[in-house]
Amino acid sequence: MQNLADRLAPLRNELLRPLRRERLSLVLHDDCLEVLVVRREDPRLHLLAWLEAPLPPGISREGGPELADALGDLLGDLLLQGDLPAVPGGGAVLSAAAAPVRTLLLPPDLQATGDPEVLRDGLQLRQDLLPPLADHEIVLEPLPLPDAWAFASLPQPALDRWLLMFAGAGLELHGLEPELWAARRALVSPLDSPRGGLLELRPQRGGTRLMLWNDEAPLVDAEVAGVDAETLAPWLGQLAVALQRRDPAWATAVLWWLVHDADGVTVLPPGPAGWDLRPADPLAHAAVEVDPAFVAPAPERLLRPLGLALRELVP
């Protein structure tokens, strides 16, 4: 009887697979793999587990899989070791290096369409775009500007490696999403300012990488010499002046901020006059509930996979 139960167990798992509400959100770095496991219970998202594993050199590059088979085996093993409910599938966050989000002003022959599918087909047929997009998968979002869209693209071979990686772990790939859009979804939108976004500080050797994202597209990606508040404060002041020249509404702004490797930046500099800088806390999202056993990573690590997981709640 036990032998029969053992033989039927895989069939039972396959029959129940569409009913399972567990999902994973994956972020791939060059040196480690991070996985957020959640359970969807509309209209809430329960955070079940945070898993991570170091990666050997060369297995991943710029946030994308290089050796898909090896990564699939590693991901499958990581989920088994986590002693979790069966997870049928999930998605992955695309790094800015792998799929940068860009602003596209539609050429005249495409301005009449508002259908993303028609627009995507038109972009793939054009030969005058750099890079050419004929062999790319394209994701698009409309911008609040005439004939303007935000878009990101991924070469087909890169998509194939993602599919192989998930298949190797016995998972279905539900989707890939640029990190900007995932991060935006995890933040509570400030309602008391016409301008807002996410300000990220990434300390690196000899300085700080400063990135400012608004609700639609990246605005600034710059390197600042220095990691201390005294160096960053005047730079932020100059940035505020430059943005106000382009758009006076930037005189007041509410910005969520994240500091990566917080030991590298001792104190967040005061924001320019009229700017309200607030620490980003993904766990403050109204749709999120945390399992008692969940051990949360630092906010800058949780933000993007949580934002991707929240996409499951969007009808």
Side-chain angles (χ1 to χ4, degrees), residues 259-306:
V259 177
H260 293 253
D261 183 18
D263 291 337
V265 177
T266 54
V267 180
L268 183 78
W275 281 22
D276 181 5
L277 301 184
R278 304 177 183 178
D281 181 9
L283 293 178
H285 196 288
V288 170
E289 289 188 358
V290 180
D291 189 86
F294 182 76
V295 179
E300 65 270 15
R301 299 171 68 192
L302 179 61
L303 183 72
R304 288 164 174 79
L306 176 58

Side-chain angles (χ1 to χ4, degrees), residues 96-117:
V101 175
R102 292 175 284 179
T103 299
L104 173 69
L105 297 178
L106 297 185
D109 59 318
L110 293 177
Q111 288 179 2
T113 181
D115 184 339
E117 292 295 330

Side-chain angles (χ1 to χ4, degrees), residues 60-148:
S60 168
R61 181 173 179 270
E62 293 186 339
E66 284 290 297
L67 303 180
D69 291 339
L71 279 167
D73 290 342
L74 191 151
L75 176 58
D77 291 344
L78 184 63
L79 293 173
L80 288 175
Q81 294 167 11
D83 193 24
L84 296 165
V87 179
V93 176
L94 294 173
S95 71
V101 175
R102 292 175 284 179
T103 299
L104 173 69
L105 297 178
L106 297 185
D109 59 318
L110 293 177
Q111 288 179 2
T113 181
D115 184 339
E117 292 295 330
V118 175
L119 179 56
R120 186 179 294 111
D121 292 342
L123 290 173
Q124 289 177 327
L125 291 173
R126 293 188 65 95
Q127 302 297 316
D128 56 342
L129 297 177
L130 294 175
L133 302 177
D135 63 342
H136 284 60
E137 288 294 320
I138 302 170
V139 288
L140 294 142
E141 281 201 3
L143 295 176
L145 299 169
D147 300 318

